[in-house]
Amino acid sequence: MNATIQGALKLGVNIDHVATLRQARYPNLLDDHNCEPDILQAAIACQKGGADSITIHLRSDRRHIQDADVYRLKEHIHLPLNFEMGNTPEILAIALSLMPREACLVPESRREITTEGGLDVAGQSTELHDTVAALRGAGIRVSMFIEPEIKQIEASARLGAEMIELHTGAFANAVGAKQMMELERLATAARAADAAGLQVNAGHGINYSNIALIRDVRPMSDFNIGHSIISRALFIGLEPAVSEMFALMNSAQPPHL
Ligand code: PXP
């Protein structure tokens, strides 16, 4: 079905960590735009660096991104927003009022440091059904953040999601032969998702080294990358950190797969 038309790989920059840094100093901050680092300035730097979209995760515990951030970003940046969200009525209501271009449904638990595994779409189809329908009905493109497993891909397609985001954490944490095995698993999943009519995105743990491997997975549309870009930005600035990653994603290089 070729849902993912292969052109240049797109880069979505996850700027949650910018808000994490701000909240470390201003833990009770809800909507003061004058506190550093400024999330809007960060998004503008990503835009200038060549990002194709901005990803934010409004968590139920509001540990980093705040409600005011999402509306301010929507109002002031030109790039499309990819809104990561847990499946709760509160966050769904915000998504429907925010109207991002995309919503990516992710699992969420209060104890995790970051999103730790893929969403069990196959096991939670009943709970997810109305949420996907509401988002799609409002014209928001829906993605499912899943492990590279056929049953999760099939469940995502059945629910009417337009996209999946393959969880690349196992690949990012593996080394040597195990990492190549994880890469193959991602490639197999990407092909299956494409055949099922889904756009294929990927994210989690992608960095300036492992991008050399993961960029060869086809078909692939968007990489959503946060931690490594924000970390590199400490040393070279956010705009160059984004352009460097974009260049690594799209420069000519012999394929590994
Ligand atoms: N995609 C999703 C769905 C995520 O939850 C995260 C982590 O917030 C990312 C991508 C980015 O992961 P990382 O910060 O490891 O690049």
Side-chain angles (χ1 to χ4, degrees), residues 14 16-17 55 57 84 104 106 114-115 145 165 202-206 224-228:
N14 181 317
D16 293 349
H17 289 302
T55 296
H57 184 179
E84 288 182 13
C104 180
V106 301
T114 176
T115 315
F145 185 50
E165 180 172 333
H204 204 94
I206 299 175
N224 290 314
I225 308 177
H227 188 259
S228 64

Side-chain angles (χ1 to χ4, degrees), residues 17-199:
H17 289 302
V18 176
T20 299
L21 185 57
R22 181 193 59 194
Q23 298 304 123
R25 172 55 68 97
Y26 307 101
N28 301 317
L29 179 75
L30 294 178
D31 67 352
D32 184 339
H33 302 161
N34 298 315
C35 295
E36 291 179 316
D38 178 33
I39 197 93
L40 179 58
Q41 217 182 324
I44 292 168
C46 293
Q47 198 167 286
K48 287 188 183 155
D52 296 288
S53 60
I54 298 293
T55 296
I56 42 172
H57 184 179
L58 184 68
R59 299 185 73 108
S60 294
D61 63 11
R62 307 298 198 273
R63 68 172 71 159
H64 39 54
I65 296 290
Q66 304 297 310
D67 298 51
D69 292 329
V70 303
Y71 293 107
R72 191 158 159 257
L73 287 168
K74 176 74 193 313
E75 190 182 342
H76 293 291
I77 62 167
H78 304 305
L79 292 180
L81 275 184
N82 170 26
F83 185 68
E84 288 182 13
M85 56 178 279
N87 183 25
T88 69
E90 184 212 9
I91 301 293
L92 173 62
I94 293 173
L96 294 174
S97 79
L98 178 69
M99 290 297 293
R101 182 182 69 177
E102 296 170 10
C104 180
L105 283 152
V106 301
E108 215 178 273
S109 100
R110 282 188 178 255
R111 278 168 300 127
E112 69 192 359
I113 292 176
T114 176
T115 315
E116 275 165 8
L119 184 65
D120 182 12
V121 182
Q124 296 170 23
S125 288
T126 312
E127 296 88 325
L128 288 164
H129 178 273
D130 291 355
T131 301
V132 173
L135 290 166
R136 288 205 58 186
I140 299 168
R141 301 187 75 219
V142 178
S143 179
M144 299 290 193
F145 185 50
I146 56 170
E147 296 296 328
E149 294 167 3
I150 298 297
K151 70 171 180 183
Q152 303 297 350
I153 293 165
E154 287 173 349
S156 301
R158 261 198 313 274
L159 275 181
E162 281 111 324
M163 302 172 279
I164 51 156
E165 180 172 333
L166 293 173
H167 194 309
T168 49
F171 156 78
N173 291 330
V175 288
K178 173 88 169 64
Q179 188 171 46
M180 294 314 286
M181 226 177 69
E182 291 297 339
L183 192 62
E184 198 50 60
R185 227 160 68 91
L186 289 164
T188 304
R191 288 191 291 267
D194 184 60
L198 295 159
Q199 177 182 312

